[in-house]
């Protein structure tokens, strides 16, 4: 079974607006002739850093979790992690996120994007093969 965490539309538009604003201000700054690109390397690096943060924030707001008897496949928006069912100790509710986390061997916790707190039992069932 797969659970998906969708990006809120308002957040998508806000991040797109921020991306366009930073990109537009950067292009205007360097094409208007006020500042030469070679003289403003630090400013350009900071603008690129801001664009990177905006893109990363957008990607991290999405994600999905798939549970099966073979294990968990978790995609947090940027990277995909596959965990065999044998490495999953338990799945518990995470009240601070209003969702669920998988506790792995060694105590490491893996957030399960898209899984609501009331679906913990269903994830456990899927991992056991029921």
């Amino acid at each position: 079974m797969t659970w998906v965490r969708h990006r809120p539309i308002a957040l998508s538009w806000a991040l797109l607006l921020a991306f366009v604003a930073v990109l537009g201000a950067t292009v205007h700054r360097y094409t208007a002739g006020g500042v030469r690109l070679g003289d403003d390397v630090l400013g350009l690096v900071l603008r690129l850093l801001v664009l990177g943060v905006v893109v990363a924030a957008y990607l991290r707001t999405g994600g999905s979790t798939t549970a099966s008897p073979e294990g968990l496949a978790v995609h947090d928006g940027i990277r995909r992690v596959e965990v065999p069912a044998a490495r999953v100790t338990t799945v518990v509710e995470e009240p601070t996120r209003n969702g669920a986390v998988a506790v792995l061997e060694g105590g490491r916790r893996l957030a399960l994007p898209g899984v609501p707190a009331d679906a913990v039992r269903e994830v456990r069932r899927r991992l056991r093969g029921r």
Side-chain angles (χ1 to χ4, degrees):
M1 179 162 203
T2 300
W3 293 269
V4 178
R5 178 175 60 197
H6 297 283
R7 294 175 180 93
I9 296 296
L11 177 66
S12 297
W13 282 109
L15 291 177
L16 178 64
L17 182 62
F19 186 84
V20 169
V22 170
L23 191 62
T26 302
V27 168
H28 175 71
R29 179 177 172 94
Y30 297 126
T31 59
V35 177
R36 290 185 335 152
L37 184 61
D39 296 338
D40 193 30
V41 174
L42 180 62
L44 182 62
V45 168
L46 289 177
R47 283 177 177 77
L48 290 174
L49 183 66
V50 167
L51 289 177
V53 168
V54 168
V55 169
Y58 176 75
L59 292 175
R60 290 287 296 198
T61 58
S64 65
T65 300
T66 302
S68 68
E70 291 82 33
L72 293 171
V74 179
H75 191 283
D76 66 1
I78 295 179
R79 62 189 170 92
R80 181 179 173 90
V81 177
E82 294 187 15
V83 180
R87 288 196 49 221
V88 178
T89 306
T90 187
V91 177
V92 295
E93 292 182 26
E94 181 68 27
T96 59
R97 296 181 181 169
N98 194 24
V101 295
V103 180
L104 307 178
E105 291 175 340
R108 185 173 152 235
R109 297 167 68 90
L110 178 64
L112 303 177
V115 178
D118 59 351
V120 170
R121 181 174 288 156
E122 183 65 27
V123 174
R124 289 182 192 149
R125 282 187 196 141
R126 295 292 177 177
L127 284 173
R128 282 183 271 163
R130 295 182 190 172

